[in-house]
């Protein structure tokens, strides 16, 4: 029996007689979609599998998931590159909700099925109920050609939402042209939007179609439209009404088939009341108004977003980080995120530049997060203490007090030791006075990878 199987001694083996499926409905999540686990599922590169993975590291018939006596097993089918469960190579092992199965370069996730969740929109990572009405509005807006206005704080993902509407619309084969109205010169704003003829002004050595011309047959996204000069607002209104415009330096009227999506972090209603934004344009844009909530109101989405960006940025920055330590995630949860998703991306990039190994530890988080989430001495909850916990747990029906107490100690002790050793399992095991395999098993129980957390050159194997 391999070391990986020994490490999973409490899991069911493939020789166990097969019976009914789990009483808890599970769903297999993979890159191409999701599949409820109701009967045996085969995974591989061959088209005859229920889950087909286009990956050169995946065998034709790589592994399968089978029901056994009310539980589910993953069985490797003698694949070339192996099947990995939570980081450990296995030939057969029990799986349940939360398990991560790696097949080649692909990750399969086992989730417990719950109330049906509508699929997110293209490019959007969302599961929090706070975003459900927003997603519904974006879906409803997509099929029409009506203008859409997306409101939200800076960094909430307004352009991503606009792209999702474009991708879901009948215009998705046409161009998506984004323009930041607050970033273009006021003197050249008209030429940037509507185009110009050669010689229309100093430096115009060639003609240009402008943003509206470039977006013909597609979607034009005007970001920060609240910063648009008043003189241009009238021209935008005319284009919305007549779908026509003139280039700078020309009297020729050009017809354009453009769907307009606008966005701003400013209050257009207030600007309109103050005379700083045309009321008629405000009403024309306000047919479909969608407000994106800030990141601090999307608590359930934060772990999803963190994992998503870690995968993206780890490849980009040449890091191998795959997991977030519970304490690091808790600090990220407590941070108020004034810069929203854009700030989250920046914070994670800074943390990855400091990181080593495959676990993102609290020590890698930059100062803005650690300083803002430092617990107050007067309000912070006490750490696990015997005097506080034991009176609540002692009772005639308790049977697992010893195991539970040691688990609580491990949950506090192991992350701190790993932080001290900068992620080195070898050094942590020496400091704790336990075998490295024992440390790996304890880390797995805490939800961290049981494999090496950091590779140190010259470290003994």
């Amino acid at each position: 029996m391999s070391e990986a199987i020994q490490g999973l001694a409490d899991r069911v083996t493939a020789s166990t007689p097969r019976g009914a499926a789990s009483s808890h409905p599970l769903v297999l999540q993979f890159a191409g979609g999701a599949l409820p686990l109701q009967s045996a599922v085969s995974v591989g590169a061959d088209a005859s599998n229920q889950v087909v993975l286009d990956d050169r590291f995946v065998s034709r018939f790589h592994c399968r998931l089978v029901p056994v006596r009310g539980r589910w097993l993953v069985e490797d089918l003698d694949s070339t590159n192996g099947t990995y469960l939570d980081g450990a190579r296995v030939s057969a092992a029990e799986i349940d909700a939360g398990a991560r199965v790696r097949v080649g370069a692909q990750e399969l996730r086992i989730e417990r099925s719950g109330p049906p969740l509508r699929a997110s929109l293209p490019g959007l990572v969302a599961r929090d109920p706070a975003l459900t009405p927003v997603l519904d509005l974006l879906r409803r807006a997509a099929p029409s050609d009506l203008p859409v206005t997306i409101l939200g704080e800076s960094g909430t993902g307004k352009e991503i939402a606009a792209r999702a509407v474009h991708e879901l619309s009948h215009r998705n084969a046409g161009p998506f042209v984004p323009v930041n109205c607050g970033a273009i010169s006021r003197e050249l704003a008209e030429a940037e939007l509507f185009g110009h003829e050669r010689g229309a002004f100093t430096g115009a050595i060639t003609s240009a179609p402008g943003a509206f011309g470039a977006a013909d047959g597609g979607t034009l996204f005007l970001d920060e439209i609240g910063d648009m000069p008043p003189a241009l607002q009238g021209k935008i209104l005319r284009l919305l009404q007549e779908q026509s415009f003139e280039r700078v330096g020309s009297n020729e009227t050009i017809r354009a088939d453009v769907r307009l999506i606008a966005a701003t972090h400013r209050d257009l209603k207030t600007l309109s009341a103050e005379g700083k934004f045309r009321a008629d344009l405000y009403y024309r844009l306000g047919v479909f108004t969608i407000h994106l909530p800030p990141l601090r109101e999307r608590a359930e989405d934060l772990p999803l977003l963190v994992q998503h960006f870690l995968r993206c940025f780890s490849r980009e920055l040449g890091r191998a980080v795959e997991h977030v330590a519970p304490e690091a995630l808790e600090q990220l949860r407590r941070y108020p995120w004034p810069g929203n998703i854009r700030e989250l991306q920046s914070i994670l990039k800074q943390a990855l530049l400091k990181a080593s190994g495959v676990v993102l530890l609290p020590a890698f988080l930059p100062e803005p997060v650690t300083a803002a989430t430092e617990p107050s001495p007067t309000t912070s909850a006490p750490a696990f203490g015997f005097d506080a916990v034991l009176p609540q747990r002692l009772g005639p029906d308790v049977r697992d007090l010893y195991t539970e107490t040691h688990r609580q100690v491990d949950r506090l002790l192991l992350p701190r030791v790993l932080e001290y050793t900068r992620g080195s399992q070898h050094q942590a095991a020496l400091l704790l006075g336990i075998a490295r395999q024992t440390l790996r098993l304890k880390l797995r129980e805490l939800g961290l990878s049981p494999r090496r957390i950091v590779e140190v050159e010259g470290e003994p194997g």
Side-chain angles (χ1 to χ4, degrees), residues 4-20:
I5 294 295
Q6 289 175 345
L8 299 169
D10 59 329
R11 298 186 185 270
V12 179
T13 64
S15 60
T16 308
R18 296 182 183 180

Side-chain angles (χ1 to χ4, degrees), residues 271-440:
L271 293 178
S272 175
E274 295 174 349
K276 298 177 181 178
F277 195 85
R278 289 186 62 130
D280 45 5
L281 179 58
Y282 166 70
Y283 294 127
R284 189 64 187 248
L285 292 173
V287 177
F288 255 114
T289 300
I290 300 168
H291 189 279
L292 289 184
L295 182 55
R296 60 183 173 274
E297 296 178 7
R298 298 171 55 188
E300 291 187 25
D301 285 340
L302 184 63
L304 293 175
L305 290 165
V306 169
Q307 289 294 343
H308 171 72
F309 291 133
L310 280 182
R311 284 195 297 269
C312 296
F313 300 153
S314 289
R315 291 192 297 267
E316 177 185 327
L317 300 175
R319 294 295 191 268
V321 174
E322 299 177 3
H323 305 280
V324 184
E327 289 186 336
L329 184 59
E330 182 58 31
Q331 282 190 291
L332 294 173
R333 285 183 185 277
R334 293 201 305 265
Y335 187 63
W337 300 110
N340 294 292
I341 295 174
R342 188 178 295 123
E343 183 182 17
L344 174 62
Q345 293 173 323
S346 175
I347 290 294
L348 291 177
K349 284 184 177 180
Q350 293 178 58
L352 284 171
L353 289 174
K354 296 171 61 179
S356 58
V358 298
V359 175
L360 191 73
L361 301 173
F364 302 148
L365 297 175
E367 185 177 353
V369 173
T370 56
T373 57
E374 196 70 34
S376 168
T378 58
T379 61
S380 60
F384 174 78
F386 292 100
D387 292 339
V389 174
L390 286 180
Q392 303 173 21
R393 294 290 295 130
L394 288 174
D397 298 327
V398 176
R399 296 293 182 270
D400 60 349
L401 184 58
Y402 184 87
T403 301
E404 181 180 339
T405 302
H406 280 76
R407 185 186 297 274
Q408 292 288 350
V409 172
D410 286 345
R411 188 173 296 279
L412 291 170
L413 175 64
L414 299 188
R416 284 169 171 78
V417 172
L418 284 168
E419 183 175 344
Y420 175 77
T421 63
R422 298 191 62 81
S424 170
Q425 274 194 346
H426 175 69
Q427 295 296 329
L430 289 176
L431 191 152
L432 291 165
I434 60 177
R436 195 189 310 183
Q437 180 63 19
T438 302
L439 177 59
R440 288 174 177 168

Side-chain angles (χ1 to χ4, degrees), residues 141-149 165 240 259-261 284-285 287-288:
S144 76
D145 283 333
L146 292 172
V148 176
T149 300
V165 172
L240 287 173
R259 201 263 181 91
L260 183 65
I261 301 179
R284 189 64 187 248
L285 292 173
V287 177
F288 255 114

